[in-house]
Amino acid sequence: MCVIIICTERRPDRNVLDKCQIRNPHGIGVVWFGKNTENKDVAKYKKGIPTVDELTKLLDTMELPYAIHFRNSSIGGENPLLNHPFEVTRDSLLRLEGECDKLLMHNGHISEYETYLSAAGIYLDNKELISDSRAIAMLVSNENRRFLNRLSNKNKFMLADASAVNEKGEIYQTFRYYGEYFDEKGFKG
């Protein structure tokens, strides 16, 4: 199963990253927060990173917090476009890098994803690349985070939200966690 590491206060060492890739060899993705060209807060991502060497070069240029996903492919097979994260939009565009308000990473397996998509009125072309994780990103694009709570008994989800709103109506950036994560002195997994 995939691995998600959310780094809030410290960076994982090379040994941890190597172990994650050995167990999950089908691609790496990273999420971090930043500004777009219009100076708006966004969640940025790069995925399809093939090696830990390339990952560490990227991480060395970034400030905390960020989240890393190591994929062990299942539904959809091995394809860099199916690495995580996925844009939380109705179409969840398949790109190797980009930015948007919300991004989703997933650790687990949801075999009923086609049923959920049909129930929500989302129909895909037969040749379209799909995975259970991309399907969930499409399904929660309507702010239905309760759906993640329902699925989190056997799965883990991380939602990078660049447009969260606090009780004062102020916008802030946050990682939201669904499922059981452990805390390891500065990062979650």
Side-chain angles (χ1 to χ4, degrees), residues 85-137:
F86 291 99
E87 295 183 9
V88 178
T89 63
R90 180 96 171 157
D91 296 327
S92 191
L93 297 175
L94 290 172
R95 301 185 291 187
L96 293 177
E97 55 187 285
E99 57 190 40
C100 67
D101 284 339
K102 294 177 182 61
L103 295 166
L104 182 79
M105 290 179 166
H106 170 223
N107 176 2
H109 182 80
I110 302 170
S111 56
E112 314 84 14
Y113 74 93
E114 290 175 317
T115 302
Y116 295 140
L117 287 172
S118 294
I122 300 172
Y123 302 98
L124 305 172
D125 182 310
N126 286 342
K127 296 180 181 180
E128 190 167 349
L129 283 174
I130 192 67
S131 69
D132 53 344
S133 304
R134 180 175 178 226
I136 299 305

Side-chain angles (χ1 to χ4, degrees), residues 1 10 16 25 28 31 41 43-44 63 66 74 76 79 83 100 110 116 121-122 127 146 158 167 169 171 182 188:
M1 216 175 285
R10 71 180 177 107
V16 169
I28 306 166
V31 172
D41 290 333
K44 296 185 173 203
E63 296 199 19
Y66 53 75
S74 55
N79 187 315
N83 291 162
C100 67
I110 302 170
Y116 295 140
I122 300 172
K127 296 180 181 180
R146 283 178 279 176
M158 186 285 301
E167 61 278 349
I171 296 174
F182 65 85
K188 291 183 178 287

Side-chain angles (χ1 to χ4, degrees), residues 60-74:
D60 286 345
T61 68
M62 301 168 68
E63 296 199 19
L64 295 172
Y66 53 75
I68 309 165
H69 185 279
F70 293 84
R71 185 167 190 246
N72 188 2
S73 68
S74 55

